[in-house]
Amino acid sequence: METVPGYRIHREKAWARSSKSHHGHRRSLFVHYNRDATASQLSRDLYAATGTRVSRVTVSNRLHETVLFARRPAVCVPLTSTNRRVRLAWCREHRDWSMDQWATVLFTDESRFSLNTDSRRTFIWREPGTRYLHSNVREIDHYGGGGLMVWAGIMLDGRTPLHVIKRGTVTGVSYRDEILEPYVRFFRGAVGPEFILMEDNGRSHRALLVDEFLESEDILRMDWPARSPDFNPIEQVWDSLGWAIATRNPL
């Protein structure tokens, strides 16, 4: 095994075809570190470490043979040590909850969607060097077409309607009048006193008039750790809705 700064590179002898001989050596590259490196960068680093010239295309081909492909990375929110500690404590507190307990929780959230196709979610098949051919270009107007802010809630055996926020932003007043009164209060009455509202720590959710409304309606609010959208199952709904919008047929 040879080491290049930021990588571990394993050399593996195998039979392979070449332009001059059917026998040769094939190098398989397994990248364990610095996954942001490009094939060209790997080629240069390999040459610097071993003196062997390997083209960018060869590097890509060998990585593909080992089931390594260039893909968009998953993203997450940055967490401080306090965030991690609080999130872990929340998980430990709720890990033994029964299905009956979870069935009393209404998971809610707001999300914003562009009415244009989201190019970051759309992939196309194209030949190398044809990126800017007319057939391979998708028109996206980031400053036109508008968008919608929506709110919804889900439970194990039910859901709220998808509510479109009228002015596109949520304030304490609009949250109380558009969301809590017509939807959350209804679910509280249907479930009973054991009903629990899950909402994140957005500013509009923590307004004094919101606190007063929840108290007056005897609605219990679940303590929610900061920077934890991944804990909320409704994020799966938003993701599915986002894909549906991105792949919808143009009007």
Side-chain angles (χ1 to χ4, degrees):
M1 181 183 72
E2 299 177 53
T3 301
V4 177
Y7 318 99
R8 287 180 183 172
I9 298 178
H10 295 264
R11 277 184 167 183
E12 205 175 75
K13 291 185 177 181
W15 297 107
R17 290 180 297 175
S18 68
S19 59
K20 296 182 179 180
S21 171
H22 288 285
H23 304 121
H25 297 298
R26 181 174 64 187
R27 292 182 178 89
S28 295
L29 308 180
F30 298 86
V31 182
H32 293 281
Y33 302 109
N34 194 1
R35 291 181 177 270
D36 294 330
T38 64
S40 297
Q41 186 177 345
L42 283 170
S43 176
R44 291 192 298 270
D45 290 343
L46 180 63
Y47 175 70
T50 67
T52 302
R53 293 189 181 276
V54 179
S55 72
R56 175 188 61 80
V57 174
T58 299
V59 170
S60 295
N61 290 339
R62 295 300 175 262
L63 290 174
H64 292 170
E65 290 173 3
T66 60
V67 201
L68 285 171
F69 299 92
R71 295 291 187 267
R72 293 191 181 96
V75 297
C76 64
V77 296
L79 299 174
T80 65
S81 58
T82 300
N83 293 147
R84 296 175 189 275
R85 183 173 63 255
V86 174
R87 281 162 56 92
L88 180 59
W90 188 92
C91 292
R92 286 173 172 167
E93 180 183 351
H94 296 87
R95 64 183 174 185
D96 295 324
W97 272 33
S98 67
M99 293 296 288
D100 289 339
Q101 287 175 294
W102 286 115
T104 65
V105 181
L106 178 67
F107 293 93
T108 69
D109 193 25
E110 298 93 5
S111 187
R112 187 180 298 276
F113 294 93
S114 170
L115 297 183
N116 288 312
T117 299
D118 187 349
S119 62
R120 294 173 299 174
R121 295 176 180 267
T122 304
F123 291 82
I124 62 170
W125 292 103
R126 63 174 175 80
E127 298 81 4
T130 64
R131 176 182 179 86
Y132 296 106
L133 285 182
H134 179 73
S135 59
N136 293 335
V137 176
R138 301 294 179 263
E139 294 183 354
I140 302 295
D141 184 0
H142 291 288
Y143 300 97
L148 291 176
M149 170 75 81
V150 299
W151 174 93
I154 59 173
M155 301 185 74
L156 281 179
D157 59 353
R159 60 180 175 82
T160 71
L162 184 68
H163 178 81
V164 178
I165 306 297
K166 293 178 181 179
R167 297 184 179 180
T169 58
V170 183
T171 65
V173 173
S174 64
Y175 184 61
R176 179 195 62 191
D177 296 344
E178 293 186 43
I179 304 301
L180 297 180
E181 288 224 15
Y183 301 117
V184 175
R185 183 167 63 174
F186 172 81
F187 272 77
R188 161 62 175 82
V191 175
E194 64 272 19
F195 173 80
I196 300 174
L197 171 65
M198 178 272 134
E199 57 183 4
D200 63 25
N201 299 301
R203 181 176 299 177
S204 60
H205 301 167
R206 294 298 181 259
L208 178 60
L209 60 88
V210 169
D211 293 340
E212 292 174 346
F213 177 85
L214 295 179
E215 184 177 355
S216 68
E217 297 294 331
D218 196 24
I219 296 174
L220 179 63
R221 176 190 281 158
M222 173 176 278
D223 290 332
W224 195 252
R227 306 186 73 80
S228 300
D230 53 316
F231 284 4
N232 192 345
I234 205 172
E235 292 296 327
Q236 306 300 320
V237 177
W238 298 146
D239 189 57
S240 297
L241 182 56
W243 278 105
I245 294 173
T247 57
R248 79 192 193 284
N249 292 326
L251 299 176

